[in-house]
Amino acid sequence: MAKSKPNMRDVAEAAEVSASTVWMVIHNKPGVSPETSQKVWDIIGDLGYMVKTNSEKKKTTDTLGLLIEQNTIPAISDVFYGDIIRGFQAEADELGYQVILSMFDRSQQSLGNIRSTLIPQISGLVIANDGDITPEIIKDLQSPGLPIVLVESHIEDHQLTCVLGDNFMAGYKITRHILDLGHRDIAILKGPTKYSSLVDRLRGCLAAIAENGLTVRHEWMPEPIKGHPLKGYMQMQDILGSSQLPTAVIAISDKTALGAMEAIREADLHIPNDISIGSIDNTHESGYARPPLTTVHIPKFEIGVLALRNLHDIIEGRNAIPLKSIVYSELIIRESTGKRHD
């Protein structure tokens, strides 16, 4: 059997970097050290990976829309969605599509504006995340002949092609890891319920806890403060003020965990000797936390790539059946979790 041509993922694995980093090197984007950049280019040469120039890419006038909720942090720099957007853009480059990024602000932007300004310009639409982009809004945006793919979002009673991280199992895996270390007094820092991905993660956490016949104390699962940029920090402060402290904390995201770790350090407690902490995402920042954060890797760049491929197939008439694609997660054990100390 003939050997398949190397792809971006092969380069990333050989260089021991993420696919997102390879894409940034190829497109001369800032944020990659000269040493890493040179290593990536060396691997590209060794493997014979063909980097397409603009003149070699498929010529097309097709334009795609990428709709994402407007947050307090711009989506392109968000620790989670930045990689998804880069993956989507990388595959769009490969297939010759142009991309219009549109930010949905429920307080300022009406559906009428999206219909009149965005939809007439595009051949297909990817909607990343839900939150303020509710199922009702998604249904209202549907129009005959407009392919739509959802990312990190799904509507249970409405079949649309979607690409999801393995969020339920991610929550299950990090909780199972904490339980296997002997912890039974476990707190959970949950996220806003308007995000279906975070709800699925929480369900995975609670399923693993229930399997062991355990429950989570009410004061150890505080509600996130709506609109607060430091939700994890504030939630952890609430837990630290309770009469009894947990021996381990599970955060629904790395961003939440990093804030919680700051609150734990301010309380003069040691991670993991006093409190272990684990989370979900495996963002770049998690490996540089103090101590490095145990987390579950969600392949964000690949989610963006797969979303674009699915949308392209629908546009080309190759995928008439709505699909729910689940991208596998992986537990990454670092120094923020340890065995329970009695």
Side-chain angles (χ1 to χ4, degrees):
M1 182 179 294
K3 185 178 179 181
S4 60
K5 294 180 180 179
N7 56 34
M8 192 178 294
R9 169 52 58 187
D10 296 327
V11 174
E13 289 180 354
E16 298 181 329
V17 298
S18 68
S20 176
T21 298
V22 175
W23 181 83
M24 292 170 71
V25 170
I26 291 172
H27 291 83
N28 197 31
K29 300 293 184 181
V32 181
S33 70
E35 295 80 9
T36 299
S37 181
Q38 185 59 55
K39 182 179 181 181
V40 168
W41 281 118
D42 288 344
I43 295 296
I44 286 173
D46 292 343
L47 295 181
Y49 173 65
M50 300 300 294
V51 178
K52 292 184 180 180
T53 64
N54 288 333
S55 62
E56 295 172 320
K57 292 172 184 175
K58 176 175 75 73
K59 298 298 183 182
T60 180
T61 57
D62 283 345
T63 300
L64 306 178
L66 176 59
L67 182 64
I68 191 166
E69 177 193 34
Q70 174 70 61
N71 288 314
T72 53
I73 301 175
I76 194 64
S77 63
D78 183 83
V79 291
F80 185 82
Y81 279 96
D83 268 356
I84 289 180
I85 293 172
R86 282 188 282 272
F88 184 84
Q89 183 66 64
E91 193 65 11
D93 288 347
E94 288 291 322
L95 295 174
Y97 288 104
Q98 296 179 0
V99 177
I100 298 176
L101 176 62
S102 182
M103 310 298 290
F104 180 80
D105 188 337
R106 194 170 191 176
S107 65
Q108 299 178 9
Q109 188 173 14
S110 69
L111 288 177
N113 288 336
I114 296 176
R115 291 195 192 98
S116 62
T117 60
L118 176 64
I119 290 179
Q121 303 181 62
I122 60 178
S123 301
L125 177 65
V126 165
I127 301 175
N129 208 359
D130 35 22
D132 286 344
I133 308 177
T134 63
E136 292 71 29
I137 289 172
I138 294 171
K139 293 175 185 178
D140 285 344
L141 284 174
Q142 282 190 273
S143 60
L146 178 67
I148 293 180
V149 172
L150 306 181
V151 170
E152 283 293 84
S153 170
H154 57 97
I155 305 174
E156 292 296 344
D157 60 347
H158 195 69
Q159 293 187 354
L160 280 172
T161 293
C162 57
V163 183
L164 311 169
D166 197 5
N167 290 298
F168 179 90
M169 284 306 300
Y172 184 90
K173 285 176 183 177
I174 190 63
T175 308
R176 185 72 264 167
H177 169 66
I178 294 291
L179 289 164
D180 288 345
L181 290 171
H183 296 279
R184 295 297 179 268
D185 298 322
I186 301 170
I188 298 178
L189 306 182
K190 58 184 180 177
T193 55
K194 67 178 182 177
Y195 298 111
S196 58
S197 59
L198 302 188
V199 172
D200 287 343
R201 293 178 183 188
L202 177 61
R203 288 171 177 165
C205 296
L206 295 177
I209 287 173
E211 280 184 359
N212 280 262
L214 303 173
T215 57
V216 180
R217 294 169 57 138
H218 177 73
E219 62 267 32
W220 288 353
M221 196 162 58
E223 296 293 333
I225 301 174
K226 185 177 180 180
H228 199 290
L230 301 174
K231 294 182 180 68
Y233 177 85
M234 300 300 293
Q235 287 172 289
M236 194 66 227
Q237 281 200 323
D238 285 347
I239 292 171
L240 292 171
S242 59
S243 58
Q244 180 180 343
L245 296 184
T247 63
V249 175
I250 299 167
I252 214 70
S253 69
D254 286 0
K255 184 178 178 181
T256 298
L258 294 173
M261 293 171 79
E262 182 63 26
I264 293 170
R265 286 192 295 267
E266 285 186 4
D268 291 328
L269 296 172
H270 188 271
I271 305 170
N273 290 346
D274 295 317
I275 298 179
S276 286
I277 183 166
S279 66
I280 302 165
D281 279 337
N282 192 32
T283 58
H284 179 73
E285 288 80 359
S286 66
Y288 296 94
R290 295 185 297 124
L293 180 62
T294 293
T295 184
V296 178
H297 175 67
I298 301 290
K300 303 167 285 296
F301 186 89
E302 290 78 3
I303 288 174
V305 169
L306 184 55
L308 192 283
R309 288 179 183 172
N310 284 349
L311 186 62
H312 174 66
D313 285 345
I314 297 171
I315 291 170
E316 295 291 315
R318 290 195 294 267
N319 200 355
I321 302 174
L323 302 174
K324 179 186 281 188
S325 302
I326 307 293
V327 182
Y328 285 109
S329 60
E330 179 186 1
L331 177 66
I332 308 295
I333 300 175
R334 299 193 180 109
E335 297 169 27
S336 69
T337 52
K339 290 185 178 181
R340 173 176 178 157
H341 295 283
D342 294 325

